[in-house]
Amino acid sequence: MGEVGVQVIERVLPALRRDKQIDLVVAQAENVSEGKGITLQDFQRLRKTGVDFCTGGNWSLHREDITQAMNDPAQPIIRPANYPEGTPGLGWKYAETSKGRVLVVSLLGHIVGKDADKPIDNPLQVIDSILESQKDVERAATIVNFHGDFSSEKVVIGHFLDGRASLVVGDHWHVPTADARILPGGTAHQTDVGMCGILDASLGVSYSSVIPRWRDSKQTRNVLETVGLRQFNALLVRANDSGLADATEPIRQVF
Ligand SMILES: [Fe+2]
């Protein structure tokens, strides 16, 4: 979330990557540039700090200069796969790792805040058809990032894909849930992975810009907080030879 989010990743990720011998780092990157979308420059900055692949959400297409990278299968950034046909960008791509190719898919929940009125395709039908189309492609793992508002949706997609993906992880809340586990069929799941950025704020936005709007119906603009404690949240997953998960470890650092 915002500049602080990038700084948090720059501080935490390089050592974490080394210590845990991580093969692939995926970041949901729709709130990176001033909280809305991601610029090409910030994408390159994240890549430099050890983020291998960026998934998306309701702000993915906010900035035009990232569109070309989203369209390019070789550039590791995607937007939700269940946007209607004709939407710029791609919703799934392969990430290359030393252990083999990894399919990464981004999906948007049916109801996401103010974007609920925008048309999206059914996420369950879309992921079914992506997995069907890729069923003969050899790969080390399959990762599905589900960007949604409802816990029920985020839990159901985990069950729906259990045994068919290495990891199904939700986000959009900016608050990590305490339910990370491996589902019965071998898929790692967490309802919401949380965020990287400022801790002392409303999901990254300053309290002083939010509370007058809420309490007194004043028209205020969201201002990103820059002062206070910071947080790094992530989910570490180990995939086995059959492309399912055999260990998960939520990671949370506050400093
Ligand atoms: Fe979002």
Side-chain angles (χ1 to χ4, degrees):
M1 180 63 167
E3 171 61 26
V4 175
V6 179
Q7 289 173 11
V8 164
I9 289 169
E10 283 171 342
R11 170 162 159 175
V12 175
L13 185 58
L16 191 67
R17 220 192 144 122
R18 200 175 51 238
D19 296 348
K20 302 279 189 184
Q21 296 178 293
I22 296 168
D23 297 307
L24 175 67
V25 175
V26 178
Q28 198 284 94
E30 63 140 12
N31 296 126
V32 170
S33 302
E34 291 164 31
K36 293 178 180 176
I38 181 168
T39 62
L40 192 56
Q41 196 185 6
D42 280 340
F43 173 55
Q44 284 157 352
R45 223 173 124 199
L46 283 181
R47 297 272 292 128
K48 218 182 268 176
T49 194
V51 172
D52 299 302
F53 198 101
C54 291
T55 56
N58 48 300
W59 287 107
S60 278
L61 298 167
H62 186 64
R63 293 174 191 273
E64 266 175 30
D65 78 335
I66 198 68
T67 309
Q68 204 182 342
M70 294 244 190
N71 284 333
D72 182 349
Q75 288 292 322
I77 185 164
I78 53 178
R79 47 81 173 158
N82 54 326
Y83 275 137
E85 214 172 303
T87 304
L90 298 172
W92 58 270
K93 295 178 186 176
Y94 281 95
E96 300 294 336
T97 78
S98 60
K99 306 281 167 57
R101 263 180 305 197
V102 174
L103 174 62
V104 188
V105 184
S106 171
L107 290 174
L108 201 59
H110 252 132
I111 297 183
V112 179
K114 288 180 189 157
D115 280 3
D117 55 336
K118 286 196 189 143
I120 56 164
D121 295 336
N122 183 300
L124 304 185
Q125 291 175 6
V126 168
I127 188 65
D128 269 350
S129 69
I130 293 169
L131 293 179
E132 175 64 21
S133 73
Q134 299 305 299
K135 69 177 192 288
D136 296 328
V137 179
E138 200 173 308
R139 55 188 183 264
T142 301
I143 295 174
V144 177
N145 174 212
F146 190 86
H147 194 81
D149 246 352
F150 281 115
S151 53
S152 51
E153 274 193 322
K154 289 153 127 176
V155 167
V156 168
I157 186 84
H159 169 78
F160 186 71
L161 295 173
D162 189 17
R164 295 195 284 160
S166 323
L167 166 67
V168 177
V169 64
D171 65 359
H172 179 65
W173 284 349
H174 299 212
V175 178
T177 56
D179 64 340
R181 66 173 174 134
I182 297 172
L183 300 175
T187 295
H189 178 262
Q190 185 178 18
T191 300
D192 202 295
V193 69
M195 77 166 199
C196 297
I198 210 88
L199 178 70
D200 289 320
S202 165
L203 320 182
V205 177
S206 74
Y207 294 126
S208 60
S209 68
V210 171
I211 290 176
R213 183 164 68 225
W214 189 10
R215 186 189 183 280
D216 306 318
S217 306
K218 281 193 179 140
Q219 292 233 326
T220 61
R221 287 191 63 231
N222 281 352
V223 176
L224 295 195
E225 185 57 84
T226 56
V227 178
L229 284 171
R230 297 168 168 215
Q231 59 179 321
F232 175 94
N233 291 292
L235 181 66
L236 185 61
V237 175
R238 189 175 66 213
N240 58 31
D241 288 344
S242 42
L244 295 170
D246 57 17
T248 88
E249 179 191 346
I251 296 171
R252 176 166 173 82
Q253 292 185 23
V254 172
F255 51 90

PDB file of all heavy atoms in Angstrom, residues 30 58 147 172, ligand 1:
ATOM      1  N   GLU A  30      -2.010  -3.816  -6.653  1.00  0.00           N
ATOM      2  CA  GLU A  30      -2.973  -2.833  -7.198  1.00  0.00           C
ATOM      3  C   GLU A  30      -3.002  -1.519  -6.417  1.00  0.00           C
ATOM      4  O   GLU A  30      -3.605  -0.559  -6.867  1.00  0.00           O
ATOM      5  CB  GLU A  30      -4.388  -3.424  -7.230  1.00  0.00           C
ATOM      6  CG  GLU A  30      -4.892  -3.760  -5.845  1.00  0.00           C
ATOM      7  CD  GLU A  30      -6.345  -3.445  -5.596  1.00  0.00           C
ATOM      8  OE1 GLU A  30      -7.074  -3.155  -6.545  1.00  0.00           O
ATOM      9  OE2 GLU A  30      -6.731  -3.485  -4.422  1.00  0.00           O
ATOM     10  N   ASN A  58      -9.036  -4.506  -8.006  1.00  0.00           N
ATOM     11  CA  ASN A  58      -9.947  -3.546  -8.621  1.00  0.00           C
ATOM     12  C   ASN A  58      -9.258  -2.265  -9.113  1.00  0.00           C
ATOM     13  O   ASN A  58      -9.813  -1.524  -9.896  1.00  0.00           O
ATOM     14  CB  ASN A  58     -11.092  -3.209  -7.663  1.00  0.00           C
ATOM     15  CG  ASN A  58     -10.612  -2.888  -6.270  1.00  0.00           C
ATOM     16  OD1 ASN A  58      -9.984  -3.721  -5.615  1.00  0.00           O
ATOM     17  ND2 ASN A  58     -10.891  -1.689  -5.807  1.00  0.00           N
ATOM     18  N   HIS A 147      -9.184 -11.629  -5.113  1.00  0.00           N
ATOM     19  CA  HIS A 147      -9.312 -10.280  -4.562  1.00  0.00           C
ATOM     20  C   HIS A 147     -10.787 -10.006  -4.288  1.00  0.00           C
ATOM     21  O   HIS A 147     -11.553  -9.725  -5.211  1.00  0.00           O
ATOM     22  CB  HIS A 147      -8.750  -9.310  -5.604  1.00  0.00           C
ATOM     23  CG  HIS A 147      -8.507  -7.954  -5.077  1.00  0.00           C
ATOM     24  ND1 HIS A 147      -7.387  -7.637  -4.361  1.00  0.00           N
ATOM     25  CD2 HIS A 147      -9.246  -6.825  -5.138  1.00  0.00           C
ATOM     26  CE1 HIS A 147      -7.441  -6.368  -4.009  1.00  0.00           C
ATOM     27  NE2 HIS A 147      -8.558  -5.851  -4.460  1.00  0.00           N
ATOM     28  N   HIS A 172      -7.473  -7.852  -0.416  1.00  0.00           N
ATOM     29  CA  HIS A 172      -8.334  -6.674  -0.590  1.00  0.00           C
ATOM     30  C   HIS A 172      -8.706  -6.071   0.773  1.00  0.00           C
ATOM     31  O   HIS A 172      -9.018  -4.897   0.843  1.00  0.00           O
ATOM     32  CB  HIS A 172      -9.606  -6.981  -1.390  1.00  0.00           C
ATOM     33  CG  HIS A 172     -10.533  -5.804  -1.587  1.00  0.00           C
ATOM     34  ND1 HIS A 172     -10.194  -4.695  -2.323  1.00  0.00           N
ATOM     35  CD2 HIS A 172     -11.783  -5.562  -1.122  1.00  0.00           C
ATOM     36  CE1 HIS A 172     -11.213  -3.830  -2.316  1.00  0.00           C
ATOM     37  NE2 HIS A 172     -12.179  -4.324  -1.578  1.00  0.00           N
TER      38      HIS A 172
HETATM   39 FE    FE B   1      -8.746  -3.851  -3.656  1.00  0.00          FE
END
